[in-house]
Amino acid sequence: MWFYWTLHCNVYIHVLHHHSTLTSCLLFSFISLICFLLSWSSMSVENVAAPPPPPPPPPSLARSLSSKKKLYQALAEGRAPVEGDHEEASVILGQRESSFRKDLQWLLFNKYVPSLIQDGPQCGLVALWMATHLLQPPKTVVLETLVQMAKDNGFTEQGEMFSACDMAKLAEEVCGCRVQRLSGGMMGENIAVILKHLTGGQPVLIPYDEDFNHEPCLRSGHKAHWAVVSGVLLGLRQGCVDSRLFPPDLTLPWLHLSQNESPVSWPTDDVKEVFVLAKQGKSLRYQLWKYELVTQSNSQLKEMDPQRASDGTRYVLPPGGVQDGLAGQVLLLHTNTQKN
């Protein structure tokens, strides 16, 4: 605006020097009108408030849903498990070949179970669902049926299963198979029973404390979780494995594979190392765990995570809590329902 008034004065002085008084007055009036209009136009433009910025677009529905997913759910999305009794196990063993003793013969038993990613605290029911795929004759079991039956029986509120005894009852009711519940830990007399069960192609359900990578850890039950063990890797004294009965793997000549479901056993002194092949509801992959580590984790389940116990969510705990419900206990599913 100051620019227009300065222009106005300069023009007026110029007019006075070159024109008569009347002419000067007329020109001055005209110039004043022009300058006023220009300055008013400038002020109007300056005083007009800028329009508010448009609101940000609402977040997409897909982004909203994905933000609610657990990390393990997001990692599994769009992927598929490796199928087959020995395919994925052979890959795992090949990656860890240097960690296995060269003075032993290694023999792998496994019966493939499918993977399923849990939604909420359903680890025990998901592990049971995986195990049901080894039923003979085959029987289709829907996870939602397991969850509902567990709730109807008062075994769970959110899908959690803190009682091995309740889990055994549920498995017998839904699957129609016999369930053998072992207590007192996984060592001693129980180790021979468990190994014979696994070498016969039968699954074992094991509660344990889950570490960040899903492997067993020691957290006093604060990370209590369930896994299904469908296979076992035995490190045997040289001369125990007959290559005609247990042919070597095509890619790992030092690894022998079991091709049948007849249970076999060796004297305790001949079994030098034991690993189990397990799946659980937070990963699509098989994992290979040292038997001793799973045993330690299983035996020290004592209490529910205090933070979880006080979060206001209702859970079903057996008399005696986690320690009486889970510690030192495993479930052997005898999946041949015709024999049962």
Side-chain angles (χ1 to χ4, degrees):
M1 185 179 71
W2 176 254
F3 167 79
Y4 293 115
W5 283 113
T6 302
L7 175 66
H8 173 210
C9 293
N10 290 335
V11 172
Y12 178 64
I13 293 172
H14 178 78
V15 169
L16 287 179
H17 282 84
H18 295 86
H19 299 279
S20 63
T21 302
L22 179 60
T23 304
S24 298
C25 290
L26 291 174
L27 287 174
F28 177 77
S29 299
F30 177 74
I31 292 170
S32 297
L33 177 61
I34 296 299
C35 289
F36 173 78
L37 292 175
L38 290 174
S39 62
W40 179 85
S41 174
S42 175
M43 291 175 62
S44 299
V45 171
E46 292 173 359
N47 293 332
V48 172
S60 66
L61 178 61
R63 182 180 302 174
S64 176
L65 291 176
S66 63
S67 64
K68 296 180 181 179
K69 291 181 179 178
K70 299 288 187 180
L71 176 60
Y72 61 83
Q73 293 174 320
L75 291 175
E77 190 171 14
R79 300 185 180 184
V82 178
E83 298 185 5
D85 292 345
H86 304 125
E87 282 74 3
E88 186 176 11
S90 296
V91 173
I92 296 172
L93 296 178
Q95 294 170 345
R96 297 169 55 176
E97 183 172 356
S98 60
S99 63
F100 300 111
R101 288 172 52 180
K102 305 303 181 185
D103 61 325
L104 300 179
Q105 288 184 292
W106 292 94
L107 178 56
L108 176 66
F109 299 81
N110 187 49
K111 295 299 294 181
Y112 172 79
V113 294
S115 304
L116 181 66
I117 299 300
Q118 66 190 65
D119 185 12
Q122 300 176 339
C123 56
L125 300 178
V126 167
L128 176 57
W129 178 88
M130 294 181 192
T132 61
H133 288 75
L134 298 183
L135 290 172
Q136 293 296 331
K139 179 180 180 180
T140 301
V141 177
V142 180
L143 177 63
E144 287 72 16
T145 302
L146 285 175
V147 174
Q148 192 58 53
M149 293 189 71
K151 290 182 177 181
D152 292 344
N153 284 307
F155 297 156
T156 186
E157 284 281 350
Q158 314 299 328
E160 77 289 348
M161 292 295 291
F162 286 114
S163 169
C165 185
D166 288 346
M167 180 77 89
K169 294 176 182 177
L170 181 66
E172 289 181 337
E173 182 178 354
V174 175
C175 306
C177 65
R178 183 170 69 89
V179 179
Q180 184 179 0
R181 182 172 65 91
L182 300 182
S183 59
M186 298 170 58
M187 299 301 289
E189 296 179 355
N190 284 343
I191 185 172
V193 177
I194 293 172
L195 294 185
K196 183 178 180 180
H197 193 74
L198 289 171
T199 59
Q202 304 285 292
V204 178
L205 299 180
I206 302 180
Y208 72 103
D209 262 337
E210 176 211 13
D211 211 343
F212 70 94
N213 59 357
H214 315 307
E215 294 191 359
C217 65
L218 308 177
R219 297 291 297 275
S220 300
H222 294 188
K223 296 295 182 180
H225 196 51
W226 282 90
V228 55
V229 173
S230 65
V232 62
L233 174 69
L234 301 178
L236 299 163
R237 181 180 55 81
Q238 286 289 342
C240 290
V241 180
D242 188 340
S243 297
R244 294 170 297 178
L245 299 176
F246 305 104
D249 181 69
L250 295 178
T251 57
L252 302 173
W254 54 271
L255 177 65
H256 297 265
L257 305 177
S258 171
Q259 306 288 354
N260 56 60
E261 299 179 10
S262 300
V264 294
S265 60
W266 289 266
T268 305
D269 292 341
D270 289 341
V271 182
K272 302 301 182 181
E273 291 195 17
V274 180
F275 293 80
V276 294
L277 205 58
K279 276 191 176 181
Q280 44 74 47
K282 295 183 180 179
S283 174
L284 299 175
R285 297 172 50 200
Y286 268 113
Q287 289 188 300
L288 190 70
W289 301 334
K290 284 190 72 70
Y291 188 89
E292 292 84 354
L293 182 56
V294 187
T295 298
Q296 294 170 9
S297 184
N298 170 263
S299 65
Q300 54 84 64
L301 302 173
K302 296 179 180 179
E303 63 181 12
M304 187 177 180
D305 180 4
Q307 183 176 357
R308 186 177 183 185
S310 60
D311 67 2
T313 306
R314 293 183 59 186
Y315 299 104
V316 175
L317 284 170
V322 171
Q323 184 164 10
D324 286 356
L326 298 177
Q329 301 178 63
V330 298
L331 302 179
L332 280 57
L333 274 64
H334 295 267
T335 53
N336 193 327
T337 56
Q338 291 176 331
K339 290 183 180 180
N340 298 332

